Amino acid sequence: MDGPSESNDKTLFTPGPLTTSASVKQAMLRDLGSRDGEFIAIAAEIRDHLLRLAAVSQDSGWEAIPVQGSGTFAIESVISSVLPPDGKLLVVINGAYGERAARIAAIHGINVIPLRSHEDRPLDPAAIADHLDGVTHLFAVHCETTTGVLNPIAEIGAIAREHGVTCIIDAMSSFGGVPIDVDAAQIDFLVSSANKCIEGVPGFAFVLARRDALLAGEGSARSLSLDLVAQWRGLEANGQFRFTPPTHAILAFHQALRELDEEGGVAGRNARYRANQQKLLAGMREMRFRQLIAPEHQTPIITTFRYPDHPRFTFETFYQRLSDKGFVIYPGKLSQADCFRIATIGRIFPADVEALLAAIRESLDQMGVPDGS
Ligand SMILES: *Cc1c(COP(=O)(O)O)cnc(C)c1O
């Protein structure tokens, strides 16, 4: 397996775009027509493969719908397409991506109820049941990439189902890297994108939808380009995208899916991400960095660390020194605490994490910061 050492680019410890394999990048070195038979076959294979990754199928009532754009476009596509005019959306929020979903709904004039809770803790399913009065749809994030906290989507899905509420899950940063049993979790819509755990390049996102929940939204679209039902109908009719697809990104994704299989599927990838994170946590603890999320609620996707409490520490300098050494980390996104983030997804291995840790040690030393505490 090739890693970042095969290229001259910096290693990305970010939650997407992320470091991809040379073979995934190589797969893009072609020009395929979007109406060409070969491209249509590849797009069909991808849709099929995505359903298989989620252990569902068209026969069991599921559809995979790619949507051009970044992950947010697919989130907006679901929210703006499937909520009926008199629908009511409950968004349970413990981070920036929950906030974003509530904002999308508000912009489309959808009746939206934001239910906020602590950013450093998982959502509490029991607290949700009290807020479902008149609610038709519920939105929750699986791995809140803001912190890396893991939300209990199976319990949330069960509560939604019990109340006859359609459940929309943003699994952007977890799908493909964390096992999700979408059917058992009673999810109706799951959204993820090409450039996260499947390790493709940016350019499109995708929605896995229960067909009956999708069709229930027919006629509710508030936008032409993000009309999810029309996008699905277009693909079903002739295998083609309605509007220009990101052909190169789709070729890369096709290869990325093959490599995910070769790694042992979601379980194999999850094992590597865990190994990356364990290496990271051991090294950061040695340097006395403090982790924001309790280990039992932490995903292997991204980890949040508090700034060292030292006057000579500034994030800008720390970031720049690591970048100069070939490592890109991620700023914090929290409202209350000063933190930075390190993602452990993408084509990176424990040896790459080890190299990052050495660069962190050296950077702290150069800054005159004794340790991460
Ligand atoms: C990455 C991400 C998104 C989408 O972000 P884009 O920048 O639009 O790709 C949405 N939700 C979560 C949880 C994410 O991690």
Side-chain angles (χ1 to χ4, degrees):
M1 263 191 242
D2 59 334
S5 52
E6 306 294 310
S7 99
N8 294 321
D9 293 333
K10 293 172 188 172
T11 312
L12 303 181
F13 290 89
T14 57
L18 32 71
T19 294
T20 57
S21 71
S23 35
V24 161
K25 289 186 273 280
Q26 210 86 44
M28 289 189 284
L29 299 180
R30 306 189 58 197
D31 299 309
L32 283 186
S34 61
R35 317 270 177 222
D36 180 76
E38 188 181 356
F39 178 73
I40 288 172
I42 288 170
E45 266 179 57
I46 282 171
R47 294 174 63 208
D48 221 50
H49 205 136
L50 286 172
L51 292 177
R52 263 187 284 130
L53 271 189
V56 293
S57 64
Q58 282 194 307
D59 287 344
S60 69
W62 284 81
E63 299 292 342
I65 311 152
V67 176
Q68 295 97 322
S70 85
T72 305
F73 289 63
I75 301 275
E76 183 151 6
S77 172
V78 174
I79 292 175
S80 67
S81 298
V82 307
L83 265 285
D86 58 350
K88 185 170 165 184
L89 178 68
L90 178 73
V91 181
V92 285
I93 301 173
N94 61 341
Y97 293 101
E99 291 290 353
R100 186 179 295 177
R103 204 167 137 59
I104 288 170
I107 282 175
H108 288 286
I110 290 165
N111 185 1
V112 55
I113 315 294
L115 179 63
R116 297 186 174 85
S117 60
H118 295 281
E119 287 180 319
D120 58 357
R121 260 169 269 163
L123 295 168
D124 175 12
I128 294 170
D130 297 339
H131 295 84
L132 290 176
D133 207 26
V135 166
T136 57
H137 292 68
L138 180 151
F139 181 100
V141 179
H142 186 211
C143 166
E144 226 328 333
T145 319
T146 308
T147 56
V149 73
L150 187 70
N151 286 320
I153 51 169
E155 286 87 335
I156 292 171
I159 287 175
R161 184 60 58 87
E162 206 178 289
H163 290 78
V165 169
T166 301
C167 183
I168 305 167
I169 296 294
D170 170 352
M172 204 71 68
S173 62
S174 56
F175 186 74
V178 176
I180 305 173
D181 190 335
V182 289
D183 208 45
Q186 312 195 47
I187 295 166
D188 298 293
F189 295 93
L190 178 142
V191 185
S192 187
S193 84
N195 61 276
K196 302 239 174 169
C197 294
I198 297 173
E199 300 185 358
V201 305
F204 72 100
F206 52 87
V207 180
L208 303 184
R210 248 184 243 278
R211 196 182 308 111
D212 53 1
L214 177 70
L215 287 171
E218 183 135 48
S220 298
R222 292 154 179 88
S223 130
L224 173 74
S225 57
L226 294 178
D227 183 339
L228 187 67
V229 182
Q231 181 89 342
W232 172 68
R233 287 213 181 278
L235 285 161
E236 285 298 296
N238 57 11
Q240 299 178 10
F241 285 76
R242 292 176 302 155
F243 312 121
T244 305
T247 49
H248 302 82
I250 285 172
L251 286 167
F253 193 70
H254 190 233
Q255 175 63 22
L257 283 170
R258 205 176 281 157
E259 293 176 17
L260 175 58
D261 276 354
E262 283 163 12
E263 193 172 359
V266 179
R269 184 142 299 176
N270 182 263
R272 173 162 60 86
Y273 289 170
R274 278 170 187 279
N276 286 344
Q277 191 183 45
Q278 273 156 21
K279 176 70 75 186
L280 176 72
L281 289 178
M284 293 299 273
R285 280 186 195 128
E286 228 168 74
M287 286 183 266
R288 300 164 58 88
F289 275 96
R290 292 154 300 156
Q291 197 182 335
L292 183 80
I293 302 296
E296 66 271 27
H297 301 311
Q298 173 75 58
T299 54
I301 307 300
I302 189 165
T303 313
T304 304
F305 298 98
R306 295 180 186 277
Y307 285 178
D309 189 12
H310 191 281
R312 278 196 292 272
F313 181 88
T314 67
F315 178 74
E316 292 67 31
T317 310
F318 184 58
Y319 178 93
Q320 197 50 53
R321 287 196 180 274
L322 287 174
S323 174
D324 292 345
K325 295 174 181 61
F327 303 93
V328 177
I329 63 166
Y330 216 50
K333 205 176 193 170
L334 281 168
S335 31
Q336 316 106 335
D338 275 339
C339 294
F340 63 88
R341 292 175 288 173
I342 297 178
T344 31
I345 60 177
R347 206 62 170 175
I348 54 172
F349 298 87
D352 302 304
V353 176
E354 201 136 5
L356 169 71
L357 289 165
I360 291 175
R361 275 188 208 98
E362 199 186 333
S363 299
L364 288 181
D365 206 45
Q366 288 168 335
M367 293 167 72
V369 177
D371 61 32
S373 67

